[in-house]
Amino acid sequence: MATTTISPSLLLLLLVLLVLSTFPAIIFTEAPPEIGGEWRLLKSSMGISAMHMQLLPGDKLLAFDRTDFGPSNLSLPGGHCRLDPSDLALTTDCTSHSVLLDLPTLSLRPLTILTDTWCSSGTLLPNASFFQSGGFNDGDHTIRLFASTTPFSDWTETSGYLSARRWYATNQLLPDGRVLILGGRRQFNYEFFPKDHSRPLTAFSFLEETRDGDAENNLYPFVHLLPDGTLFIFANTRAVILDLSVNGYPLRHLPAIPDAVPRNYPSSGSSVLLPLRPPAHSPEILICGGAQRGAFQAALNGSFWPAARTCGRIFPLEQDPTWAMEDMPGARVMGDMVLLPTGDVLVVNGAAAGTAGWELAREPVTAPLLYNPSGPAGNRFGFMNRSPIPRLYHSSAVLDTYGRVLVGGSNPHVCYNFTNVTFPTELSLEAFYPPYLNPLLDSLRPSVVAVWIGDGGGGSDKVVTPAVVGYGETVGVRFLVRERIAGGGVEVVVVAPAFATHSFAMNQRMVVLDGGRTEQVAPHVYELEVRAPPSPKVAPPGYYMMFVVHAGAPSRGVWVKIQRRDVVT
Ligand SMILES: *[C@@H]1O[C@H](CO)[C@@H](O)[C@H](O)[C@H]1NC(C)=O
Ligand SMILES: *[C@@H]1O[C@H](CO)[C@@H](O)[C@H](O)[C@H]1NC(C)=O
Ligand SMILES: *[C@@H]1O[C@H](CO)[C@@H](O)[C@H](O)[C@H]1NC(C)=O
Ligand SMILES: *[C@@H]1O[C@H](CO)[C@@H](O)[C@H](O)[C@H]1NC(C)=O
Ligand SMILES: *[C@@H]1O[C@H](CO)[C@@H](O)[C@H](O)[C@H]1NC(C)=O
């Protein structure tokens, strides 16, 4: 085994990190890119405002806004126009409200949605079609599919499919490949895609119990699939465990979050399932930010209350789960939480005062927070560098295979309003480059050259991705790295591409793969065998980005499809 000592560049970086970490104020105002990350403008305009975003296999970004708030800045394909009597600004709309962005080339293709997708939900299906559910008005019972691997595909819409109006609902991909569609405004129930004809709708009174009158504070509930197949569902301040085989009666009620701060729309905080680690895959949930009860009415009255600073962490499957509370270094409502390949969490976007909703937030927070879940309590957050662009209501953020966080949207206005308003409608797309993408770390950064299935083997049978991987199977990974650090950990992780809207990333999930020893097979070439996730409860079937992380530096992600061998999906 050849090893090298720590390079001078890394030593310098570590030294700078050490010095700066004792002066958080310096990090906040002065951080160089290797400490505080870097913002880059990818598109000054995507033509639409990226209120909803989903990364697709093949490194394409699908985005859409809504169809009823005036003309976007992009024409519909083929010179088509839609008649839309419910449009607030024009009834004949010849513009597009959805786009597909090819990330390697940054070329844009306008797509056709005909009915309203405003405040809807979505899930990437195991067959790489993107499934979108609901919206508003003419679109609230509609489902839409986008076949992501078909060249030049466009949306297909099926109206009247949903059993209930799904506006501000949440989706979760299930172990059997179906999608749960839960809640929505004044919907205290859930349903499935594909539809369960024997039971098209199941009542779920938890959503009625957690509604704060007109303020609601429980829309876009946080839903996370737990590795025992049950669901963690959080609304307002409360959480339950739901077993879908028991039809709408929670299996267990967890304690309410102790500080009693509402966390769901319009008091939008955010929530993630922290990385699931072998062998136990013990699930832990992190919820951060939100707005005090009453903040919504106060904002309607023109008084913008400070947002919440608190986060809560809980192991929902423990015998007597309790919330461990901690403070963010700043207040935030409407933050997006994004899992990074290193297992850290980026909290990005949002505001320090007010709530979600039209014109209801002030004091944009343009500096993301980087959260290290395994850091010592009280010392897990670091401020990153500020973006020049405020991202308030209707903004979104997703991880891509470059390890960047794509950040788009922001439109706190009823229509597209570009001038004469505070916080104009944003059509731009930025990428946040976390500190681990700094070129100083390139010598440590693995580059994946092959992924294969099955034990042992060498040479020509090793295929490059896209790989199809069965549950529990051995996966071989070969990677290049210029400077292998002796004892520097190598981790292989899979991250599910999430559907992000309204400060919540549906289906977001990261599983750390059980790994063997890294062996050097040639100069700078290493091989490692890992085990695919053990079951669809740990990782529902479908497409994942697989990253190799060495000494904190992630590779480019490669797409793998995880599936059951005995079922065709
Ligand atoms: C809309 O597009 C036009 C060019 O087609 C451009 O001049 C204008 O600045 C764009 N507006 C915004 C808000 O991006
Ligand atoms: C993907 O699966 C869904 C659900 O079964 C189905 O409706 C859709 O047609 C499939 N898409 C493709 C491209 O096969
Ligand atoms: C908002 O204003 C209304 C009417 O003036 C008043 O009744 C209400 O108490 C105010 N609410 C808050 C939270 O300030
Ligand atoms: C936004 O634009 C719409 C339509 O152009 C207009 O009616 C509305 O007054 C504008 N809103 C604001 C806050 O300026
Ligand atoms: C800008 O907004 C102000 C206040 O909302 C309004 O009085 C004014 O007419 C607007 N100006 C333009 C050019 O639309």
Side-chain angles (χ1 to χ4, degrees), residues 98-123:
S98 175
V99 298
L100 189 67
L101 177 70
D102 181 63
L103 290 170
T105 61
L106 293 179
S107 60
L108 266 182
R109 186 155 70 81
L111 301 173
T112 313
I113 38 176
L114 300 175
T115 60
D116 200 1
T117 47
W118 181 32
C119 299
S120 58
S121 51
T123 300

Side-chain angles (χ1 to χ4, degrees), residues 466-541:
V468 175
V469 178
Y471 287 100
E473 288 180 354
T474 301
V475 181
V477 182
R478 188 194 300 150
F479 60 92
L480 296 170
V481 68
R482 290 215 302 277
E483 287 185 63
R484 173 88 168 98
I485 294 184
V490 175
E491 238 176 25
V492 181
V493 304
V494 291
V495 186
F499 176 69
T501 190
H502 288 77
S503 309
F504 184 59
M506 302 175 195
N507 310 299
Q508 181 168 227
R509 189 174 205 84
M510 171 169 156
V511 183
V512 179
L513 303 188
D514 207 356
R517 217 162 57 91
T518 304
E519 288 192 38
Q520 184 164 21
V521 296
H524 308 297
V525 183
Y526 299 84
E527 285 185 4
L528 172 66
E529 283 185 347
V530 292
R531 287 224 168 262
S535 80
K537 294 175 179 175
V538 173

Side-chain angles (χ1 to χ4, degrees), residues 353-399:
T355 67
W358 303 130
E359 318 287 344
L360 295 185
R362 295 292 184 275
E363 300 175 36
V365 186
T366 55
L369 285 170
L370 189 62
Y371 179 81
N372 172 6
S374 53
N379 198 15
R380 293 176 179 150
F381 282 105
F383 266 116
M384 299 285 101
N385 285 321
R386 292 186 178 101
S387 160
I389 303 174
R391 304 277 179 182
L392 300 161
Y393 188 42
H394 289 151
S395 55
S396 61
V398 296
L399 179 73

Side-chain angles (χ1 to χ4, degrees), residues 6 14-15 32 67 142 147 154-155 182 201 213 215 287-288 306 328 353 379 412 472 478 489 546 553:
I6 292 182
L14 293 176
L15 196 70
T67 56
T142 302
D154 206 333
W155 290 99
L182 181 131
L201 207 57
I287 292 176
C288 286
M328 296 188 282
N379 198 15
R478 188 194 300 150
M546 189 173 81

Side-chain angles (χ1 to χ4, degrees), residues 72 127 225 227 246 265 320 333 356 374 407 416 439 548:
S72 76
N127 66 5
L225 172 68
V246 191
Y265 177 92
D320 290 301
V333 63
S374 53
V407 176
Y416 288 102
V548 178

